[in-house]
Amino acid sequence: MFPYRKILELHSEGVSLRSIATITQHSRQKVTEVIKLAEKRGIIIPLEEGITDPWLEDFLYPEKKQENSGRHVMDFEYVHKELARPNVTLTLLHDEYVREAKSVGKIPYAYRTFAEHYHNYAMKYKATMRIRRKPGEILEVDWAGQTLSVIDPDTGENRKVYIFIATLPCSQMFYVEGSYRMDLPSWIRLHQHTFEFFEGTPQILVPDNLKTGVTKHTSKELILNKTYAEMADHYNTIILPARVRSPKDKASVEGSVNIVSTWIIQGLRNMKFFSIEELNDEIWKKLDYLNNRPFQNRNGSRWSAFLEEEKFALSPLPATPYRMSEWRTAKVRPDYHISIHSMFYSVPYELIGKEVDVKISDSTIEIYFNHIRAASHQTLYGKYGQFSTLKEHMPQNHRLYIEQTPEEGLKWAASIGDSTLTIVNFLLETYEVEKQALNAIFTLKKLERKYTNYEIEQACKDVLKATNRPTVKSVQTIIQSNKKHDEEKLTEPKSRKMKEKYGFTRGASYYGGRNK
């Protein structure tokens, strides 16, 4: 194997090209070529142990394997640079590569293999940088220690503004935004703005152990805020908070805090702002300058490094943004309701006295017991003290009471028959007090417990034939009479058969006659 590593190490120690050629027993021209390629690709000395001669050969001469395969050779550098341009995708570049291969009579790689080769190249390209982070792997987030302020135009008082910072350690690209609050809704909203700014999401989020995001973090246990964890799941990323009192776990964002404090916070210290929008506009102007500012120790800037080396590795944004929800616990009251923001929502009455988990969003209230959803309601707005009650959550006696309405009465009567509906309508029109009419109707409805729908309808029909002023009592009397009459009809044939079977006729001898 060619001694790539030894050549680079000798060169970093100041050994002349002639001496390196002599030591490695290779031509000075070849030694010069390797050193120039390494410098062009951004390889930094000292090399890590994992960077071996085979690794360096694949990185410096990626076309060697392709030439052995007989396929059309990919121009990795061209692909890498073109991907940094707006709206240029790997699919487009593969299409161009296929057309180029066919024009020279070569066999092209399929898209999947093309993408794999490029991905391996890009990962090795980034691995040569001094900050050993994989592209798109981590996003570190935190609040800056210093704050800015906005003047309230109504009162003239200064209102504190907290500064949120997010950093991609691989490219060192960062995002900054001011916020009036450091609460959970603000924390979630700022993450969403960050993902939109980067046009993608990382594999891992590394926050500090703030109460807005982390409920509990010890060496044995990690409990994340439910809303924060849900947001991360929506964006297909995971949360791994930095260890307590371990700033090295988020060294990049710590370094960004220092840069932001100097170039943005202190840079705006003498300016006056009268709205958060005005302040953020200035923050983003300075942010744009910092992200495009050239690196001191290597070529390019944060922005160019992001486009060339990291953007391709971020996961795409979901089709719809995350809808903010809040989790809290509540105890079910004796009236089988829970209270959320002074509004009341029902749950199954069996949960009275139990602790339940509640997921609150702008549109729905979802209630969970033992991780199973027990109820769901539309979120109530307006006057405090409103109730959202579902019938299926009520005990049977409560359900019967709530169902005693004219509409329910008419609905029941219609399900029985036309005669029953006529009597119910008559009762509603006759009684001056609606409550009395409802008592009469639902007394009539109790006949369902003993009689069939047919028997109720027949009794109502018979009552209407007899009078044009029907009452519940008359229906009860008729239905009892009809039932008794039907039972007698059923028993009469049986009685006749019994007499015929067991009766006998006395002979003439019984009356003093003689049998012939």
Side-chain angles (χ1 to χ4, degrees):
M1 174 59 68
F2 191 86
Y4 297 99
R5 184 181 179 104
K6 189 169 188 65
I7 288 172
L8 295 177
E9 288 175 342
L10 289 171
H11 178 66
S12 68
E13 293 170 4
V15 180
S16 68
L17 296 178
R18 186 186 299 276
S19 298
I20 295 174
T22 302
I23 294 169
T24 59
Q25 298 183 355
H26 288 280
S27 68
R28 190 167 64 176
Q29 184 179 0
K30 183 64 176 177
V31 169
T32 304
E33 178 186 302
V34 168
I35 292 172
K36 285 185 176 180
L37 269 176
E39 290 175 348
K40 183 179 179 181
R41 300 285 169 83
I43 292 178
I44 296 176
I45 306 298
L47 297 173
E48 287 191 349
E49 293 182 5
I51 299 181
T52 61
D53 286 335
W55 189 100
L56 286 166
E57 182 172 87
D58 287 345
F59 180 61
L60 297 174
Y61 300 96
E63 66 279 356
K64 278 192 175 183
K65 285 186 178 180
Q66 297 181 70
E67 289 171 352
N68 295 334
S69 71
R71 303 272 176 168
H72 184 53
V73 177
M74 293 172 56
D75 188 343
F76 289 104
E77 286 190 38
Y78 171 78
V79 172
H80 202 62
K81 289 178 180 178
E82 287 299 300
L83 275 178
R85 301 175 70 174
N87 303 318
V88 175
T89 65
L90 207 56
T91 305
L92 173 64
L93 294 172
H94 176 258
D95 185 65
E96 293 175 352
Y97 160 78
V98 170
R99 281 188 273 120
E100 181 185 330
K102 290 180 178 179
S103 68
V104 295
K106 293 280 188 176
I107 302 172
Y109 284 110
Y111 175 77
R112 183 175 178 180
T113 309
F114 179 89
E116 285 178 357
H117 278 310
Y118 171 69
H119 184 266
N120 292 336
Y121 170 83
M123 295 299 283
K124 286 184 177 181
Y125 187 95
K126 191 58 212 171
T128 63
M129 306 308 296
R130 196 175 292 279
I131 300 171
R132 305 298 176 180
R133 296 292 189 187
K134 292 181 180 179
E137 182 183 36
I138 290 175
L139 176 69
E140 298 173 5
V141 292
D142 203 355
W143 295 100
Q146 299 180 49
T147 61
L148 288 168
S149 63
V150 167
I151 300 172
D152 189 317
D154 296 324
T155 64
E157 295 179 353
N158 283 336
R159 187 174 182 183
K160 187 180 290 187
V161 175
Y162 304 95
I163 307 301
F164 172 85
I165 304 173
T167 304
L168 291 167
C170 178
S171 60
Q172 291 294 291
M173 179 86 160
F174 54 77
Y175 175 74
V176 183
E177 184 176 343
S179 172
Y180 281 135
R181 291 178 292 275
M182 298 173 71
D183 56 5
L184 182 62
S186 300
W187 183 246
I188 298 295
R189 174 176 50 80
L190 291 165
H191 276 70
Q192 289 179 290
H193 291 178
T194 301
F195 298 150
E196 291 165 5
F197 178 76
F198 292 132
E199 297 181 354
T201 57
Q203 298 173 31
I204 302 169
L205 284 173
V206 181
D208 208 341
N209 289 276
L210 301 167
K211 290 183 179 180
T212 47
V214 182
T215 303
K216 184 178 181 181
H217 190 192
T218 66
S219 58
K220 297 181 179 180
E221 186 177 22
L222 170 62
I223 302 175
L224 298 172
N225 178 283
K226 281 189 176 181
T227 304
Y228 192 32
E230 192 177 67
M231 182 275 296
D233 185 61
H234 180 83
Y235 286 101
N236 196 31
T237 185
I238 61 173
I239 301 168
L240 292 178
R243 293 168 296 172
V244 179
R245 292 184 294 276
S246 298
K248 288 184 179 180
D249 284 0
K250 49 184 182 63
S252 294
V253 78
E254 293 288 347
S256 296
V257 166
N258 294 331
I259 295 171
V260 168
S261 298
T262 300
W263 291 93
I264 294 182
I265 297 178
Q266 295 303 322
L268 299 175
R269 68 189 184 283
N270 296 322
M271 297 181 67
K272 294 182 179 180
F273 305 97
F274 296 90
S275 70
I276 190 74
E277 293 78 15
E278 186 182 346
L279 171 60
N280 276 325
D281 283 343
E282 289 299 321
I283 286 176
W284 293 330
K285 287 178 184 177
K286 290 192 174 292
L287 175 66
D288 185 60
Y289 166 76
L290 287 175
N291 279 330
N292 283 282
R293 186 182 178 199
F295 288 123
Q296 291 183 353
N297 300 321
R298 59 186 174 104
N299 294 330
S301 62
R302 288 177 173 82
W303 181 247
S304 64
F306 169 73
L307 292 178
E308 294 175 8
E309 304 162 13
E310 186 154 31
K311 187 177 180 181
F312 79 94
L314 295 175
S315 300
L317 294 173
T320 57
Y322 172 70
R323 296 179 66 180
M324 173 68 186
S325 60
E326 177 187 356
W327 285 88
R328 63 169 62 183
T329 58
K331 188 173 183 179
V332 181
R333 295 150 36 109
D335 64 354
Y336 48 88
H337 285 72
I338 60 169
S339 175
I340 302 294
H341 301 318
S342 298
M343 300 293 190
F344 300 93
Y345 303 89
S346 67
V347 299
Y349 70 90
E350 295 89 349
L351 297 180
I352 290 174
K354 305 288 187 181
E355 289 280 345
V356 292
D357 294 314
V358 187
K359 182 182 177 183
I360 306 164
S361 72
D362 293 339
S363 57
T364 57
I365 301 290
E366 294 178 278
I367 303 156
Y368 293 81
F369 181 69
N370 287 340
H371 308 292
I372 298 173
R373 190 169 73 172
S376 179
H377 299 264
Q378 285 190 339
T379 305
L380 295 173
Y381 291 98
K383 185 179 179 181
Y384 289 151
Q386 296 181 63
F387 280 78
S388 176
T389 306
L390 302 181
K391 289 181 182 178
E392 56 266 29
H393 295 162
M394 298 178 170
Q396 186 63 28
N397 58 332
H398 287 205
R399 198 179 304 178
L400 290 173
Y401 177 81
I402 205 71
E403 288 175 353
Q404 291 189 7
T405 64
E407 293 75 19
E408 288 292 331
L410 290 168
K411 183 179 177 181
W412 167 78
S415 71
I416 303 298
D418 292 340
S419 298
T420 307
L421 182 59
T422 300
I423 290 179
V424 168
N425 275 314
F426 175 79
L427 294 173
L428 287 170
E429 293 169 1
T430 302
Y431 285 96
E432 294 182 0
V433 180
E434 186 182 84
K435 186 64 177 175
Q436 290 177 318
L438 292 174
N439 286 338
I441 292 168
F442 285 93
T443 299
L444 187 64
K445 188 175 184 295
K446 288 179 183 178
L447 291 174
E448 283 183 319
R449 300 175 185 176
K450 292 178 63 178
Y451 303 100
T452 65
N453 290 356
Y454 172 80
E455 290 171 328
I456 296 171
E457 174 65 11
Q458 188 60 49
C460 291
K461 188 181 292 185
D462 292 342
V463 168
L464 290 173
K465 288 179 182 178
T467 179
N468 58 0
R469 297 188 64 79
T471 64
V472 174
K473 184 65 177 175
S474 63
V475 176
Q476 290 172 330
T477 302
I478 290 294
I479 201 169
Q480 289 171 3
S481 176
N482 289 348
K483 188 75 171 178
K484 184 177 180 181
H485 180 68
D486 291 341
E487 289 174 351
E488 287 175 351
K489 276 188 175 182
L490 288 172
T491 57
E492 186 178 342
K494 291 182 181 179
S495 177
R496 189 181 297 119
K497 286 180 182 179
M498 289 290 288
K499 287 179 181 180
E500 290 174 356
K501 185 175 181 180
Y502 296 104
F504 60 89
T505 304
R506 292 181 175 89
S509 61
Y510 179 83
Y511 297 102
R514 290 182 298 177
N515 292 326
K516 292 182 179 180

